Amino acid sequence: MSDQNVHNAGFTSSGIRGGSLASSMMSQEARASGGGVHSGGPTATLQEMGARGSTHSSGFTSSGISGGSLASSMMSQEARSHGGGTPRGGTTSTVQSI
């Protein structure tokens, strides 16, 4: 995942851009967790990367999610919140596609 792709998705140094993929992801995560976006969750983590301007070592790669990485942790967290599976169109799959 490139820094530019994260920024283009709406994760910026000034916050999540309204009407962006990032804002849609934030909304989806908030609904799934009962109304809030948790610190350390996928949206918060990506926003942190966008604010820093760095996605290095996140674990989202062109050949898939790297084991033991931040990306694999995000995928596990999402799977737990959805009863064991990572949904198509969910946060992890969307971020992986970015």
Side-chain angles (χ1 to χ4, degrees):
M1 171 174 27
S2 77
D3 296 338
Q4 188 61 46
N5 288 348
V6 170
H7 184 267
N8 289 345
F11 296 101
T12 73
S13 60
S14 57
I16 291 177
R17 189 172 52 244
S20 66
L21 176 60
S23 67
S24 175
M25 290 171 59
M26 181 174 66
S27 175
Q28 180 180 359
E29 184 179 346
R31 283 192 308 274
S33 66
V37 176
H38 300 288
S39 176
T43 301
T45 302
L46 284 167
Q47 178 52 38
E48 180 182 345
M49 289 179 200
R52 277 194 326 240
S54 175
T55 61
H56 302 300
S57 302
S58 64
F60 290 100
T61 73
S62 60
S63 54
I65 292 175
S66 300
S69 67
L70 175 62
S72 68
S73 177
M74 290 170 64
M75 183 174 66
S76 293
Q77 179 182 352
E78 185 176 19
R80 282 191 305 273
S81 73
H82 289 281
T86 304
R88 172 177 269 178
T91 303
T92 302
S93 62
T94 302
V95 173
Q96 179 60 29
S97 72
I98 294 171

